[in-house]
């Protein structure tokens, strides 16, 4: 095990054998820590040598390195003085699993969402040149991230560049699942042209020993572009765009990569270096099952056994079951995913209805418009995308699905707080962004049973529909859910002694805040405060009758949501109540959700507390509000 990370100069002076030993030790270190804390293991095992090669070539932090998605930055964190950070890795208050500019001067740009590194890198290059500064910019992008449209927008823009910009294309043939589409074909062709490079190196080796060999080598170097064009048409897509293509090169050979990187550093244009790596390298279970070890919880290092994190079915399991069953009964149902098929629960559907399963790559914008096209053509697409990744397809949702009232079902997985991936991955914006769209219907189930009811109901719904649900176990609240009726909330549940409609507090709960709402009601009752709890179900359209009747019968209305308050459910409910109560001040409304901020990493329970949306914080706040109200009444 590494006791101390050698400094940059020591690493620069290492020979091949020492570099191999260091790579092995880094892998052992990462395996030890990730097996305890969880994280993106397979991608990081694949980028150890690549990171070492970059570390040897450049002068960081003067030079700027951007990791696309950022999930492959663990060796980087280790080399840049953050070894101890792995002790509280991905924990609340601890080191992040992604690059963070506020964590280290070595982290140039925050990433988390895919395919942004070339745009950000090119922006830095232009800023550098405009300011007359002198540093190198390197963007590392995976072949999965390379399926995202923004990467091509940047390449298109970079083609005119006449100064240095280095793009490392880290090709391991995998996105989270096996990579898909034409880009994959293109890279496969380029990969197979490795023979060309080997041939070239072999010829040069032979010639270097012969008389007049050096002159011949120079001739080969001069003619190599045309030779390359002849033998390697795939890299030509880059060359024809005006970018330089170098490679492919073995991504586990530090010295080989170093050579090619150093030649790229001398070029006054954008250079794509095609690096071939192996996901899960050095740990057989991860190499054999890169999907399982892409993002993994704590696991047994010896056996490679990854304990299943949830006993109950997850929301993804429930979606998977519904899709597999409904696919049979409804031949118009299709599944659309942006490179997250297994994560969202589509694997059974994929197996049984291969021709109706579409993995479009990391291309959320395309996924949405493609689904709109499917719907226009008479199909019923279920488009499952994580809440935070769907953000980038906002325009497509509005223009291509909602405006045309097309029956696309948007399944927003990982809505709300997601935990250890932190800021970039929480699904906190979707209530405001989805409910602001005309023609859109927005549902949020309180538990797994209600989610299934909503899915069954959605089959007959003719229009754009969205269902938001969180990561992980679906849970079950008692009693079971009412049947779904358009625009209707569930009946109120009362926590009080005696009958009648009035209570001190009415709690209006959005989605999976419901168990917390019930817990709050229980705690309030213990304090002698009566309450009612309504599961609002429909975040759009809101059930005005249910909300207004709850507000008429209580002196305090409490709204609960695990999303941004600005433009969220609470604000919309409060506006409705304010409109209905005219100039009357009553009832007071207190909204609980995420205040105007980005939420850090931690367990969901820790983060709920941090946001003040756990039962204890809510009850404390509600009791204080009630006390304040009583005081005000007395003063009046
Ligand atoms: C916009 C967006 N969509 C989806 C994801 C989820 N995601 C994280 S990593 C990843 C695969 C990336 O593949 P690649 O770039 O090849 O890197 P590798 O993991 O293979 O090293 C995906 C789909 C994301 N981070 N951002």
């Amino acid at each position: 095990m590494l006791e101390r990370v050698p400094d940059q100069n020591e690493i620069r002076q290492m020979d091949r054998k020492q570099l191999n030993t260091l790579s092995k030790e880094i892998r052992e270190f990462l395996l030890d820590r990730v097996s305890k804390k969880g994280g993106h293991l397979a991608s990081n095992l694949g980028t150890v040598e690549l990171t070492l090669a970059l570390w040897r070539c450049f002068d960081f932090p003067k030079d700027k390195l951007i990791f696309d998605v950022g999930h492959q930055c663990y060796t980087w964190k280790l080399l840049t003085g953050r070894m101890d950070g792995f002790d509280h890795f991905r924990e609340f208050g601890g080191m992040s699993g992604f690059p963070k500019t506020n964590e280290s001067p070595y982290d140039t740009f925050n990433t988390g969402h895919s395919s942004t590194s070339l745009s950000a890198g090119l922006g830095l290059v232009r800023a550098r040149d405009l300011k007359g500064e002198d540093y190198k910019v390197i963007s590392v992008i995976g072949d999965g991230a390379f399926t995202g449209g923004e990467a091509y927008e940047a390449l298109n823009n970079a083609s005119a560049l006449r100064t240095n910009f280095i793009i490392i294309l880290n090709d391991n043939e995998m996105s989270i699942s096996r990579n898909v589409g034409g880009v994959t074909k293109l890279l496969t062709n380029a990969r197979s042209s490795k023979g060309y490079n080997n041939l070239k190196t072999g010829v040069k080796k032979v010639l270097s020993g012969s008389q007049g060999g050096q002159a011949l080598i120079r001739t080969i170097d001069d003619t190599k572009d045309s030779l390359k064009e002849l033998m390697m048409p795939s890299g030509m897509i880059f060359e024809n765009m005006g970018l330089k293509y170098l490679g492919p090169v073995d991504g586990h050979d530090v010295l080989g990569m170093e050579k090619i990187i150093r030649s790229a550093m001398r070029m006054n244009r954008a250079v794509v270096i095609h690096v071939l790596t192996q996901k899960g390298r050095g740990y057989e279970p991860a190499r054999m099952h890169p999907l399982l070890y892409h993002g993994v919880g704590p696991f047994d290092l010896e056996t490679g056994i990854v304990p299943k994190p949830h006993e109950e079915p997850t929301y993804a399991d429930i979606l998977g079951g519904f899709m597999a069953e409904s696919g049979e009964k409804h031949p118009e149902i299709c599944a659309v995913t942006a490179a997250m098929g297994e994560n969202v629960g589509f694997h059974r559907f994929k197996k049984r209805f291969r021709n109706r399963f579409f993995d479009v790559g990391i291309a959320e914008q395309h996924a949405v418009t493609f689904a709109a096209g499917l719907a226009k053509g008479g199909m019923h697409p279920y488009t499952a995308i994580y809440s935070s990744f769907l953000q980038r397809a906002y325009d497509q949702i509005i223009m291509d699905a909602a405006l045309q009232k097309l029956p696309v079902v948007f399944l927003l997985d990982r809505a709300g707080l997601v935990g250890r991936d932190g800021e970039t991955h929480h699904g906190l914006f979707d209530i405001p962004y989805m409910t602001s769209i005309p023609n859109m219907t927005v549902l949020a189930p309180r538990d797994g049973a209600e989610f299934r009811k909503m899915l069954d109901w959605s089959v007959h719904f003719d229009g754009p529909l969205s269902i938001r649900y969180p990561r992980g176990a679906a849970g079950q609240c008692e009693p079971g859910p009412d049947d779904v009726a358009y625009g209707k909330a569930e009946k109120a549940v009362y926590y009080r002694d005696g009958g009648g409609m009035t209570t001190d507090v009415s709690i209006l709960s959005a989605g999976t805040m419901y168990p917390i709402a019930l817990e709050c009601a229980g705690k309030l009752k213990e304090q002698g405060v009566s309450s009612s709890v309504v599961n609002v179900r429909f975040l759009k359209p809101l059930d005005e009758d249910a909300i207004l009747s709850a507000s008429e019968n209580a002196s305090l209305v409490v709204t609960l949501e695990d999303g941004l308050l600005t433009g969220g459910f609470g604000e919309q409910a409060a506006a409705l109540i304010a409109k209905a109560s005219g100039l009357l001040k009553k009832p007071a409304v207190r909204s609980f959700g995420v205040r105007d901020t980005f939420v850090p990493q931690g367990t969901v329970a820790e983060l709920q507390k941090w946001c003040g949306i756990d039962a204890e914080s809510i009850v404390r706040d509600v009791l204080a509000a009630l006390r304040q109200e009583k005081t005000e009444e007395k003063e009046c």
Side-chain angles (χ1 to χ4, degrees), residues 68 115-123 126 139-143 145-162 165-169 183 186-187 234-245 269-273:
D68 206 287
S115 319
T116 62
S117 64
L118 307 193
S119 304
L122 185 57
R126 292 294 193 191
S139 296
V140 174
I141 181 165
D143 58 310
F146 209 62
T147 59
E150 192 179 344
Y152 297 90
E153 295 168 27
L155 283 182
N156 185 41
N157 198 196
S159 64
L161 204 63
R162 293 291 164 261
F165 174 31
I166 296 176
I167 297 164
I168 309 268
L169 176 51
V183 172
L186 176 107
L187 297 180
S234 320
M236 268 177 56
I237 188 172
F238 300 110
E239 302 258 339
N240 286 346
M241 280 176 80
L243 306 149
K244 183 77 189 163
Y245 171 88
R269 59 206 277 207
V271 189
V272 177
I273 305 178

Side-chain angles (χ1 to χ4, degrees), residues 29-74:
F29 176 86
L30 295 182
L31 276 162
D32 176 70
R33 295 307 194 270
V34 178
S35 66
K36 289 180 182 138
K37 306 280 179 194
H40 288 94
L41 182 67
S43 312
N44 281 289
L45 291 178
T47 47
V48 175
E49 289 86 359
L50 171 59
T51 314
L52 285 173
L54 293 168
W55 193 234
R56 281 165 65 97
C57 290
F58 293 96
D59 180 14
F60 298 116
K62 182 177 162 247
D63 293 331
K64 314 288 176 207
L65 176 62
I66 304 176
F67 283 107
D68 206 287
V69 182
H71 62 312
Q72 70 292 62
C73 66
Y74 297 0

Side-chain angles (χ1 to χ4, degrees), residues 315 444-447 450 474 476-482 489-495 507-522 532-537 560-562 608 613 615 618:
Y315 282 93
R446 64 178 206 190
D447 62 11
E450 188 175 34
Q476 195 162 343
C477 305
E478 295 301 336
D482 299 346
E490 275 202 301
K491 285 188 295 292
V493 184
Y494 290 91
Y495 280 70
I507 305 177
L508 303 173
S509 164
T512 47
M513 289 302 286
Y514 194 67
I516 292 182
L518 297 184
E519 198 186 334
C520 290
S532 66
V533 179
V534 176
N535 165 30
V536 293
R537 291 193 141 172
L560 305 183
E561 64 201 294
D562 56 348
Q608 282 173 340
I613 58 171
I618 295 167

